Amino acid sequence: MNKAYAAVRLALGLAVAVLAGSEATAAPTLKGRAVWASPRDAGTTEESVVAFVDQLAKAHVNTLVMEVKTSAGIFWPSDRFAPAVVAEYHDFDFPAVLIRQCHRRRIAVHAWFFDFAEGAGSSVVQQHPEWLALSPDGKPTTAEILRGRPYRLAWMCPARRPGYTDQWLIPLIKEFAQRYDVDAIHHDYVRYPGDLAPDTYCFCDYCLEQIPKYAGYYSPAHPDHALLAPMDRPHLEAHWERSPKVLPPNWSEYTREMKSRLLLEGGFFPGGHRDLDYFFYEYRAHQVAQFTRQVFEEVRKAKPKIEFSAAVFKNPVQSGRFIGQDWRRFAPWVQYLMPMDYRSHYAGDFATHLDLLAESIQQQKVWAADFPHLWIGVAAYQLYDAERVPLDRLRRLAREGGSASEMKGEFEKVAVRLEKYAPDLHAAIVAQLREGGSAETLAAKLDAFLSSMPADYAPPDRLTKTLETVRAQGVEGVVIFSTGGLTAGHLWEAVEAFFGR
Ligand SMILES: [Zn+2]
């Protein structure tokens, strides 16, 4: 190496060192640094809210997405919607305190609404059971059984007018927006149910009438006209544009079950493709997108600068088909798109998931081209499902008197890791399996362990690797689910380090 070259190398090295030094102290580089949160993470006193917001500020969070309406009810002291207010929030004005504290620290607040998902016993369901989404057999989602238990969400029909959407949900959102200095409204459950049979909703009376109208299956002015036209082309479906009457002459005599079956399994032409399901899915995607439009227009009248964000599924082409959520159609009415790119939404091991995640984000950047902001949603706690879920099941088996072999099966999934990082708990489970003993004592030990998993057992770098993968795709922001999971998983330091860079 000659002297001049060595001098250049030295100078370059110094320059790099200076740059690295200045980077370490510079402001965070990622524009959107958000978390999803539940009111229980912030408590119900001014002091607990301050402590919660301090934690956000320390971790460089600049946007908080906080639940204000879940399937349990609403979290502000509303007079108009008093029966829906969750008990502890009648006297404590949680959003007022939270928003004030956040704004003091320059943290924006998005108010998170479960749009179409209510609780089985919620006040609106009791007052207006006619607003529930119905399956072909005329039953609501709460009549379904999922994994051996009654389905816990009462899904409301997104389409019916007047109905849940325009009589309850939009007025609720409007009240919140007018009452509080909130920065944005956040949509969640802005879709049809997906974990039940995705094709079975909604066949309420309103939808049975509206789907044929929406898709043009008859002429309201000439409902009994057969509307036959010359079939002068060789292919049957080539005659589609003269809109033949699709409904059978005695449609009005069909039962709900028969109507639903035709709308899902019938064909546009007798003897042609059985393609009517296409129009059913199109109707659902349209109704959900129309809701985002209507709520945007209504709330903007009262609050011209308010913005909207939405938690959506990762692939709008697929979610349009399965849950009526083709979110590409939300673009004019939603400014912040937050795809839930959670670990549980990808198959494969952790490394495979990172590859799939990167692919997804690249696709999402194209699909979301019309949205001003694309912030990628990551579920922190779920990254540790492999370590956590077997212990969670073991706890349930202990409490419910599960068999020793079932308990052993769950234990074996994590035994090696437990023995290394939590030997006391490992020994307690081994003793329980071998000798029996108080199942409740074991369950209580698991409660304690699961509510705060040791860092060795659930390594924080898995979250960091996921976040780095997201950032490497060149997106504007990240939203982490959720503050409760970050606390339980001891993951705040990892977030602070990542957001601080
Ligand atoms: Zn309906």
Side-chain angles (χ1 to χ4, degrees), residues 245-269:
K245 188 182 172 205
V246 173
L247 296 186
N250 52 345
W251 171 251
S252 61
E253 291 162 33
Y254 276 36
T255 63
R256 184 191 310 279
E257 203 281 329
M258 288 161 66
K259 284 181 177 171
S260 310
R261 200 160 151 195
L262 184 104
L263 293 173
L264 263 180
E265 297 174 18
F268 198 79
F269 291 91

mmCIF file of all heavy atoms in Angstrom, residues 245-269:
data_model
loop_
_atom_site.group_PDB
_atom_site.id
_atom_site.type_symbol
_atom_site.label_atom_id
_atom_site.label_comp_id
_atom_site.label_asym_id
_atom_site.label_seq_id
_atom_site.Cartn_x
_atom_site.Cartn_y
_atom_site.Cartn_z
ATOM 1 N N LYS A 245 -82.645 -11.487 -17.643
ATOM 2 C CA LYS A 245 -83.169 -11.606 -16.289
ATOM 3 C C LYS A 245 -82.594 -12.884 -15.669
ATOM 4 O O LYS A 245 -82.769 -13.973 -16.207
ATOM 5 C CB LYS A 245 -84.688 -11.668 -16.340
ATOM 6 C CG LYS A 245 -85.292 -11.589 -14.960
ATOM 7 C CD LYS A 245 -86.803 -11.699 -15.003
ATOM 8 C CE LYS A 245 -87.284 -11.810 -13.576
ATOM 9 N NZ LYS A 245 -88.561 -12.484 -13.499
ATOM 10 N N VAL A 246 -81.893 -12.731 -14.583
ATOM 11 C CA VAL A 246 -81.226 -13.860 -13.951
ATOM 12 C C VAL A 246 -82.147 -14.555 -12.939
ATOM 13 O O VAL A 246 -82.110 -15.768 -12.784
ATOM 14 C CB VAL A 246 -79.920 -13.385 -13.265
ATOM 15 C CG1 VAL A 246 -79.291 -14.496 -12.452
ATOM 16 C CG2 VAL A 246 -78.934 -12.866 -14.322
ATOM 17 N N LEU A 247 -82.977 -13.774 -12.265
ATOM 18 C CA LEU A 247 -83.837 -14.373 -11.228
ATOM 19 C C LEU A 247 -84.928 -15.232 -11.865
ATOM 20 O O LEU A 247 -85.493 -14.865 -12.895
ATOM 21 C CB LEU A 247 -84.494 -13.283 -10.378
ATOM 22 C CG LEU A 247 -83.569 -12.402 -9.543
ATOM 23 C CD1 LEU A 247 -84.409 -11.473 -8.656
ATOM 24 C CD2 LEU A 247 -82.623 -13.225 -8.697
ATOM 25 N N PRO A 248 -85.251 -16.362 -11.251
ATOM 26 C CA PRO A 248 -86.341 -17.193 -11.773
ATOM 27 C C PRO A 248 -87.691 -16.506 -11.549
ATOM 28 O O PRO A 248 -87.808 -15.642 -10.681
ATOM 29 C CB PRO A 248 -86.236 -18.470 -10.928
ATOM 30 C CG PRO A 248 -85.565 -18.047 -9.681
ATOM 31 C CD PRO A 248 -84.645 -16.916 -10.047
ATOM 32 N N PRO A 249 -88.726 -16.880 -12.334
ATOM 33 C CA PRO A 249 -90.025 -16.197 -12.245
ATOM 34 C C PRO A 249 -90.646 -16.259 -10.842
ATOM 35 O O PRO A 249 -91.311 -15.329 -10.430
ATOM 36 C CB PRO A 249 -90.901 -16.956 -13.244
ATOM 37 C CG PRO A 249 -89.992 -17.779 -14.066
ATOM 38 C CD PRO A 249 -88.707 -17.944 -13.333
ATOM 39 N N ASN A 250 -90.441 -17.349 -10.156
ATOM 40 C CA ASN A 250 -91.070 -17.490 -8.830
ATOM 41 C C ASN A 250 -90.097 -17.192 -7.680
ATOM 42 O O ASN A 250 -90.212 -17.744 -6.588
ATOM 43 C CB ASN A 250 -91.669 -18.888 -8.665
ATOM 44 C CG ASN A 250 -90.634 -19.962 -8.997
ATOM 45 O OD1 ASN A 250 -89.586 -19.675 -9.599
ATOM 46 N ND2 ASN A 250 -90.910 -21.189 -8.597
ATOM 47 N N TRP A 251 -89.138 -16.313 -7.949
ATOM 48 C CA TRP A 251 -88.111 -15.931 -6.964
ATOM 49 C C TRP A 251 -88.715 -15.581 -5.606
ATOM 50 O O TRP A 251 -88.206 -15.970 -4.569
ATOM 51 C CB TRP A 251 -87.337 -14.734 -7.527
ATOM 52 C CG TRP A 251 -86.388 -14.060 -6.581
ATOM 53 C CD1 TRP A 251 -86.531 -12.832 -6.019
ATOM 54 C CD2 TRP A 251 -85.124 -14.565 -6.102
ATOM 55 N NE1 TRP A 251 -85.448 -12.525 -5.233
ATOM 56 C CE2 TRP A 251 -84.567 -13.586 -5.267
ATOM 57 C CE3 TRP A 251 -84.412 -15.758 -6.315
ATOM 58 C CZ2 TRP A 251 -83.341 -13.731 -4.635
ATOM 59 C CZ3 TRP A 251 -83.183 -15.912 -5.677
ATOM 60 C CH2 TRP A 251 -82.666 -14.918 -4.855
ATOM 61 N N SER A 252 -89.824 -14.828 -5.612
ATOM 62 C CA SER A 252 -90.383 -14.351 -4.339
ATOM 63 C C SER A 252 -90.856 -15.507 -3.462
ATOM 64 O O SER A 252 -91.006 -15.360 -2.256
ATOM 65 C CB SER A 252 -91.516 -13.366 -4.586
ATOM 66 O OG SER A 252 -92.539 -14.022 -5.307
ATOM 67 N N GLU A 253 -91.083 -16.675 -4.073
ATOM 68 C CA GLU A 253 -91.527 -17.815 -3.267
ATOM 69 C C GLU A 253 -90.354 -18.616 -2.703
ATOM 70 O O GLU A 253 -90.553 -19.519 -1.889
ATOM 71 C CB GLU A 253 -92.399 -18.753 -4.113
ATOM 72 C CG GLU A 253 -93.751 -18.145 -4.479
ATOM 73 C CD GLU A 253 -94.408 -18.870 -5.646
ATOM 74 O OE1 GLU A 253 -94.212 -20.097 -5.775
ATOM 75 O OE2 GLU A 253 -95.088 -18.197 -6.432
ATOM 76 N N TYR A 254 -89.161 -18.304 -3.164
ATOM 77 C CA TYR A 254 -87.991 -19.023 -2.648
ATOM 78 C C TYR A 254 -87.808 -18.740 -1.149
ATOM 79 O O TYR A 254 -88.046 -17.628 -0.684
ATOM 80 C CB TYR A 254 -86.721 -18.551 -3.382
ATOM 81 C CG TYR A 254 -86.422 -19.230 -4.709
ATOM 82 C CD1 TYR A 254 -87.437 -19.599 -5.585
ATOM 83 C CD2 TYR A 254 -85.101 -19.474 -5.084
ATOM 84 C CE1 TYR A 254 -87.143 -20.197 -6.807
ATOM 85 C CE2 TYR A 254 -84.792 -20.067 -6.302
ATOM 86 C CZ TYR A 254 -85.826 -20.427 -7.154
ATOM 87 O OH TYR A 254 -85.527 -21.009 -8.354
ATOM 88 N N THR A 255 -87.347 -19.739 -0.421
ATOM 89 C CA THR A 255 -86.979 -19.515 0.984
ATOM 90 C C THR A 255 -85.617 -18.802 1.029
ATOM 91 O O THR A 255 -84.922 -18.717 0.009
ATOM 92 C CB THR A 255 -86.814 -20.852 1.726
ATOM 93 O OG1 THR A 255 -85.729 -21.570 1.106
ATOM 94 C CG2 THR A 255 -88.095 -21.680 1.676
ATOM 95 N N ARG A 256 -85.249 -18.343 2.226
ATOM 96 C CA ARG A 256 -83.939 -17.697 2.386
ATOM 97 C C ARG A 256 -82.821 -18.645 1.951
ATOM 98 O O ARG A 256 -81.876 -18.261 1.269
ATOM 99 C CB ARG A 256 -83.714 -17.305 3.855
ATOM 100 C CG ARG A 256 -82.400 -16.541 4.084
ATOM 101 C CD ARG A 256 -82.052 -16.385 5.557
ATOM 102 N NE ARG A 256 -83.165 -15.876 6.331
ATOM 103 C CZ ARG A 256 -83.508 -14.581 6.412
ATOM 104 N NH1 ARG A 256 -82.793 -13.674 5.789
ATOM 105 N NH2 ARG A 256 -84.550 -14.199 7.119
ATOM 106 N N GLU A 257 -82.955 -19.903 2.332
ATOM 107 C CA GLU A 257 -81.929 -20.888 2.008
ATOM 108 C C GLU A 257 -81.819 -21.056 0.485
ATOM 109 O O GLU A 257 -80.725 -21.078 -0.078
ATOM 110 C CB GLU A 257 -82.282 -22.218 2.700
ATOM 111 C CG GLU A 257 -81.099 -23.146 2.918
ATOM 112 C CD GLU A 257 -80.701 -23.908 1.672
ATOM 113 O OE1 GLU A 257 -81.593 -24.201 0.847
ATOM 114 O OE2 GLU A 257 -79.487 -24.174 1.507
ATOM 115 N N MET A 258 -82.983 -21.143 -0.193
ATOM 116 C CA MET A 258 -82.971 -21.328 -1.654
ATOM 117 C C MET A 258 -82.427 -20.083 -2.362
ATOM 118 O O MET A 258 -81.656 -20.191 -3.323
ATOM 119 C CB MET A 258 -84.392 -21.632 -2.151
ATOM 120 C CG MET A 258 -84.886 -23.029 -1.791
ATOM 121 S SD MET A 258 -86.704 -23.148 -1.903
ATOM 122 C CE MET A 258 -87.001 -22.919 -3.648
ATOM 123 N N LYS A 259 -82.830 -18.912 -1.869
ATOM 124 C CA LYS A 259 -82.313 -17.670 -2.476
ATOM 125 C C LYS A 259 -80.792 -17.588 -2.311
ATOM 126 O O LYS A 259 -80.066 -17.277 -3.254
ATOM 127 C CB LYS A 259 -82.966 -16.448 -1.811
ATOM 128 C CG LYS A 259 -84.390 -16.190 -2.255
ATOM 129 C CD LYS A 259 -84.953 -14.956 -1.562
ATOM 130 C CE LYS A 259 -86.362 -14.650 -2.079
ATOM 131 N NZ LYS A 259 -87.030 -13.599 -1.312
ATOM 132 N N SER A 260 -80.338 -17.880 -1.097
ATOM 133 C CA SER A 260 -78.889 -17.812 -0.833
ATOM 134 C C SER A 260 -78.131 -18.760 -1.749
ATOM 135 O O SER A 260 -77.081 -18.420 -2.296
ATOM 136 C CB SER A 260 -78.587 -18.207 0.624
ATOM 137 O OG SER A 260 -79.417 -17.504 1.505
ATOM 138 N N ARG A 261 -78.705 -19.945 -1.911
ATOM 139 C CA ARG A 261 -78.029 -20.956 -2.722
ATOM 140 C C ARG A 261 -77.942 -20.519 -4.181
ATOM 141 O O ARG A 261 -76.904 -20.680 -4.823
ATOM 142 C CB ARG A 261 -78.795 -22.272 -2.597
ATOM 143 C CG ARG A 261 -77.953 -23.421 -2.971
ATOM 144 C CD ARG A 261 -78.502 -24.696 -2.420
ATOM 145 N NE ARG A 261 -78.109 -25.760 -3.319
ATOM 146 C CZ ARG A 261 -78.633 -26.957 -3.322
ATOM 147 N NH1 ARG A 261 -79.597 -27.244 -2.466
ATOM 148 N NH2 ARG A 261 -78.212 -27.861 -4.155
ATOM 149 N N LEU A 262 -79.025 -19.927 -4.672
ATOM 150 C CA LEU A 262 -78.984 -19.453 -6.063
ATOM 151 C C LEU A 262 -77.959 -18.323 -6.214
ATOM 152 O O LEU A 262 -77.180 -18.301 -7.174
ATOM 153 C CB LEU A 262 -80.364 -18.968 -6.512
ATOM 154 C CG LEU A 262 -80.352 -18.561 -7.987
ATOM 155 C CD1 LEU A 262 -81.024 -19.622 -8.858
ATOM 156 C CD2 LEU A 262 -81.005 -17.218 -8.222
ATOM 157 N N LEU A 263 -77.953 -17.403 -5.247
ATOM 158 C CA LEU A 263 -77.049 -16.251 -5.349
ATOM 159 C C LEU A 263 -75.577 -16.676 -5.261
ATOM 160 O O LEU A 263 -74.691 -15.990 -5.766
ATOM 161 C CB LEU A 263 -77.366 -15.226 -4.247
ATOM 162 C CG LEU A 263 -78.728 -14.541 -4.392
ATOM 163 C CD1 LEU A 263 -79.034 -13.671 -3.174
ATOM 164 C CD2 LEU A 263 -78.790 -13.693 -5.670
ATOM 165 N N LEU A 264 -75.320 -17.813 -4.637
ATOM 166 C CA LEU A 264 -73.945 -18.299 -4.501
ATOM 167 C C LEU A 264 -73.564 -19.341 -5.544
ATOM 168 O O LEU A 264 -72.421 -19.429 -5.959
ATOM 169 C CB LEU A 264 -73.748 -18.936 -3.122
ATOM 170 C CG LEU A 264 -73.125 -18.084 -2.039
ATOM 171 C CD1 LEU A 264 -73.003 -18.892 -0.757
ATOM 172 C CD2 LEU A 264 -71.746 -17.581 -2.453
ATOM 173 N N GLU A 265 -74.533 -20.172 -5.928
ATOM 174 C CA GLU A 265 -74.183 -21.339 -6.757
ATOM 175 C C GLU A 265 -74.809 -21.307 -8.146
ATOM 176 O O GLU A 265 -74.533 -22.182 -8.965
ATOM 177 C CB GLU A 265 -74.621 -22.633 -6.042
ATOM 178 C CG GLU A 265 -73.902 -22.843 -4.733
ATOM 179 C CD GLU A 265 -74.447 -24.039 -3.958
ATOM 180 O OE1 GLU A 265 -75.129 -24.890 -4.554
ATOM 181 O OE2 GLU A 265 -74.203 -24.104 -2.746
ATOM 182 N N GLY A 266 -75.683 -20.336 -8.382
ATOM 183 C CA GLY A 266 -76.368 -20.289 -9.672
ATOM 184 C C GLY A 266 -75.488 -19.727 -10.773
ATOM 185 O O GLY A 266 -74.351 -19.310 -10.539
ATOM 186 N N GLY A 267 -76.029 -19.711 -12.001
ATOM 187 C CA GLY A 267 -75.308 -19.174 -13.146
ATOM 188 C C GLY A 267 -76.040 -17.973 -13.741
ATOM 189 O O GLY A 267 -77.260 -17.881 -13.656
ATOM 190 N N PHE A 268 -75.286 -17.090 -14.340
ATOM 191 C CA PHE A 268 -75.877 -15.912 -14.996
ATOM 192 C C PHE A 268 -76.790 -16.372 -16.138
ATOM 193 O O PHE A 268 -77.860 -15.820 -16.354
ATOM 194 C CB PHE A 268 -74.740 -15.037 -15.525
ATOM 195 C CG PHE A 268 -75.150 -13.626 -15.839
ATOM 196 C CD1 PHE A 268 -75.302 -12.688 -14.828
ATOM 197 C CD2 PHE A 268 -75.357 -13.227 -17.161
ATOM 198 C CE1 PHE A 268 -75.659 -11.371 -15.116
ATOM 199 C CE2 PHE A 268 -75.718 -11.906 -17.449
ATOM 200 C CZ PHE A 268 -75.874 -10.986 -16.433
ATOM 201 N N PHE A 269 -76.341 -17.410 -16.876
ATOM 202 C CA PHE A 269 -77.156 -18.027 -17.928
ATOM 203 C C PHE A 269 -77.530 -19.446 -17.498
ATOM 204 O O PHE A 269 -76.650 -20.173 -17.009
ATOM 205 C CB PHE A 269 -76.375 -18.121 -19.239
ATOM 206 C CG PHE A 269 -76.108 -16.796 -19.882
ATOM 207 C CD1 PHE A 269 -74.948 -16.100 -19.591
ATOM 208 C CD2 PHE A 269 -77.021 -16.256 -20.779
ATOM 209 C CE1 PHE A 269 -74.694 -14.871 -20.183
ATOM 210 C CE2 PHE A 269 -76.773 -15.027 -21.378
ATOM 211 C CZ PHE A 269 -75.600 -14.334 -21.071
#
